């Protein structure tokens, strides 16, 4: 008879093992931040092709916006010094100033000129009165004084002056940035080459072709389309390394391929310490695994390592944990690698539309969405295999490392997916 004694049952599979040092999320982020630097070369692109690209040098305004003083409304322009209090009657000059069709010459003092929105103010005009505030018979313009000097005009360079810095290094160009640079006469910009990120799924149970009928003990590879789409949305060039079974030689081959063609690698699955957790084992054997046991839920295990000099994010296999670890750890890291600089998502405080008690020691991210009253609801189940909750959510509620007892209406931090650069969801 064996005298084997079973361990005491634990009903929480996420209970923190005793005697292990768990790295707080912020400490893990700080370590990542300290070691990652931009890796990409620079190239020149047309501003119109610059969406989502990261500026490699600051951009200087080539001309002022607006380039010349101009009218902000349709109306009549004149020299303010020629007007005073009470009803003003000014003779109307012949001609007009319209956008793209400036008035030829200077306006004589004491006269008024028809002027349209965006038209350059000719010499002799520094103030414009709104058309609706005037009466005219074609010869004279009448309006009530006093009028404020400079009313309804835009000063040259009042937005940005020529020679001023328009955008700093590291800026990821938005549609509004393309408008700004174009207005400032900037045609081309130096940007970082797109970051190339490889994605590998691991797990013998996975079927990567959704047109193949999976047998019951198999599951479809849900992580790869999610991660590839996420990275493409972040402006990365994606390298699809496919899916490898739980076989160390095969995983090593794929990692080699990834290291050759990519600046960073995301793997999912096999990152823990189980019999078939070959990603973690390979990274440990290659001597570069920073085996960070990070105090995050969901997300254990997360293996952060270098493979042939290329950073690898060994994500957990569970799609919920894989996505959350990608958002929390991989995104700021990829931004740093891409030259955009380390950036944390901006969350905001909203009332909780839920109640929850948590123990100290681990930061928790809950799948959440805002209800019509602006309060955060959380997904009914916290199970990290519940992909439907990821899809239901429009963001995450972040609960602090410390113990907390959240009651309905208490303030909680909500981070919309959009703050992670995700333009979908909800
Ligand atoms: P692992 O991290 O390998 O222990 O996997 C944790 C759980 O996630 C297991 O139930 C896996 O079957 C599942 N899983 C792993 N990879 C994927 C994937 N690519 N798509 C969907 N589920 C996965
Ligand atoms: Mg596995």
């Amino acid at each position: 008879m064996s005298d084997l004694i079973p361990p005491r049952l634990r009903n929480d599979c996420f209970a923190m093992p005793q005697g292990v040092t768990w790295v707080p999320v912020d400490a893990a982020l700080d370590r990542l931040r300290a070691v990652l630097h931009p890796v990409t070369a620079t190239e020149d692109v047309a501003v119109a092709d610059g969406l989502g690209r990261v500026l490699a040098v600051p951009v200087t305004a080539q001309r002022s916006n607006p380039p010349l003083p101009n009218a902000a409304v349709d109306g009549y322009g004149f020299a303010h010094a020629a007007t005073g209090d009470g009803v003003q009657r000014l003779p109307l000059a012949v001609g007009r100033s319209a956008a793209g069709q400036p008035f030829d010459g200077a306006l004589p003092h004491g006269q008024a000129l028809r002027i349209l929105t965006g038209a350059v103010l000719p010499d002799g005009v520094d103030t414009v009165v709104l058309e609706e505030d005037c009466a005219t018979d074609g010869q004279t313009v009448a309006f009530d004084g006093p009028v404020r000097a400079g009313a309804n005009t835009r000063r040259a360079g009042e937005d940005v002056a020529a020679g001023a810095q328009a955008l700093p290094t590291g800026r990821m160009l938005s549609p509004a940035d393309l408008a700004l640079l174009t207005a400032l006469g900037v045609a081309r910009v130096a940007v970082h080459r797109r970051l190339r990120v490889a994605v590998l799924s691991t797990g013998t149970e996975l079927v990567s072709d959704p047109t193949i009928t999976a047998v019951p003990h198999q599951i479809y590879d849900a992580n790869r389309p999610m991660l590839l789409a996420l990275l493409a949305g972040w402006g990365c060039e994606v390298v699809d390394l496919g899916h490898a079974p739980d076989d160390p030689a095969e995983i090593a081959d794929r990692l080699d391929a990834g290291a050759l063609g990519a600046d960073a690698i995301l793997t999912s699955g096999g990152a823990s310490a189980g019999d078939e957790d070959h990603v973690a084992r390979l990274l440990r054997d290659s001597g570069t695994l920073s085996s960070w046991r990070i105090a995050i839920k969901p997300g254990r295990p997360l293996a952060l390592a270098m493979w042939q000099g290329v950073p690898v994010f060994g994500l957990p296999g569970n799609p919920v944990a894989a996505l959350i670890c990608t958002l929390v750890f991989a995104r700021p890291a990829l931004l740093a690698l891409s030259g955009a600089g380390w950036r944390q998502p901006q969350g905001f405080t909203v009332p909780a539309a839920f109640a929850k008690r948590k123990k100290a020691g681990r930061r928790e991210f809950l799948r959440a969405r805002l209800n019509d009253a602006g309060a955060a609801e959380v997904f009914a189940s916290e199970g990290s295999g519940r992909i439907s909750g990821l899809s239901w959510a429009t963001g995450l509620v972040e609960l602090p490392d410390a113990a907390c007892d959240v009651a309905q209406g208490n303030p909680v931090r909500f981070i919309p997916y959009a703050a992670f650069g995700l333009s979908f969801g909800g």
Side-chain angles (χ1 to χ4, degrees):
M1 260 271 254
S2 156
D3 53 2
L4 206 55
I5 299 168
R8 283 201 4 246
L9 285 179
R10 270 191 291 175
N11 61 9
D12 176 7
C13 68
F14 289 110
M16 310 282 281
Q18 298 302 304
V20 172
T21 314
W22 292 88
V23 180
V25 170
D26 287 339
L29 288 171
D30 285 347
R31 284 203 219 170
L32 261 182
R33 181 180 191 163
V35 298
L36 297 176
H37 304 288
V39 295
T40 55
T42 65
E43 61 190 1
D44 242 39
V45 297
V47 165
D49 297 328
L51 185 67
R53 305 301 299 270
V54 176
L55 290 179
V57 292
V59 181
T60 301
Q62 299 301 300
R63 69 191 323 237
S64 293
N65 181 47
L68 289 172
N70 66 78
V73 298
D74 287 355
Y76 297 89
F78 45 83
H80 180 261
T83 65
D85 288 358
V87 175
Q88 307 294 305
R89 291 187 187 83
L90 303 181
L92 191 57
V94 175
R96 58 170 206 164
S97 187
Q101 302 169 62
F103 179 72
D104 194 12
L107 183 72
H109 194 74
Q111 294 192 12
L113 178 72
R114 177 75 173 139
I115 192 161
L116 301 176
T117 305
V120 168
L121 305 186
D123 282 349
V125 175
D126 59 18
T127 301
V128 174
V129 68
L130 194 65
E131 178 177 301
E132 290 84 336
D133 293 338
C134 296
T136 182
D137 56 5
Q139 308 291 312
T140 302
V141 176
F143 55 88
D144 277 332
V147 175
R148 184 176 53 79
N152 298 312
T153 65
R154 306 166 178 147
R155 283 175 289 110
E158 70 175 19
D159 182 22
V160 182
Q165 189 185 97
L167 291 171
T169 303
R171 172 77 183 184
M172 188 179 279
L173 297 177
S174 69
D177 293 341
L178 305 190
L180 176 64
L181 295 178
T182 303
L184 298 177
V186 178
R188 299 187 71 80
V189 281
V191 295
H192 286 277
R193 173 174 65 66
R194 285 185 192 279
L195 196 69
R196 277 196 283 268
V197 185
V199 175
L200 172 67
S201 291
T202 72
T204 301
E205 73 277 32
L206 299 182
V207 173
S208 48
D209 180 351
T211 66
I212 288 176
T213 305
V215 298
H217 63 260
Q218 294 180 317
I219 59 169
Y220 290 107
D221 176 2
N223 287 340
R224 206 147 42 91
M226 172 176 72
L227 296 174
L228 289 170
L230 191 60
L231 293 166
W234 286 342
C236 301
E237 242 173 58
V238 293
V239 180
D240 185 355
L241 296 176
H243 131 246
D246 291 310
D247 170 63
E250 200 156 330
I251 296 171
D253 277 355
R254 305 289 177 108
L255 290 176
D256 286 348
L260 271 183
D263 304 305
I265 304 173
L266 302 188
T267 69
S268 69
S272 195
D275 296 353
E276 297 291 350
D277 287 327
H278 299 292
V279 173
R281 190 162 308 117
L282 278 166
L283 295 173
R284 194 178 322 114
D285 292 351
S286 75
T288 60
L289 178 67
S290 323
S291 179
W292 297 345
R293 295 165 189 270
I294 300 170
I296 178 174
K297 176 186 176 182
R300 258 175 62 200
L302 174 68
L304 299 162
M306 301 295 273
W307 185 268
Q308 294 170 12
V310 173
V312 179
F313 297 83
L315 304 165
N318 273 311
V320 176
L323 180 67
I324 290 176
C325 284
T326 304
L327 299 181
V328 174
F329 294 102
R331 179 162 188 268
L334 295 178
L335 285 170
L337 290 171
S338 71
W342 185 269
R343 220 168 330 133
Q344 293 279 70
Q346 192 172 32
F348 51 93
T349 304
V350 299
F354 64 93
K356 179 182 162 66
R357 179 174 297 182
K358 79 175 268 299
K359 286 184 271 186
R362 198 152 48 136
R363 188 164 310 180
E364 282 195 36
F365 291 91
L366 309 175
R367 281 149 280 175
R369 60 188 302 163
L370 297 183
N371 64 19
D372 290 342
E377 292 176 356
V378 295
F379 191 59
S381 164
E382 290 181 19
S384 104
R386 303 287 189 103
I387 308 176
S388 64
L390 276 186
S391 161
W392 169 87
T394 59
L396 303 174
V397 159
E398 180 179 18
L399 298 180
D401 301 352
C404 64
D405 191 355
V406 178
Q408 297 258 355
N410 285 171
V412 289
R413 179 171 147 87
F414 177 75
I415 310 173
Y417 280 159
F420 294 104
L422 277 166
S423 42
F424 302 97

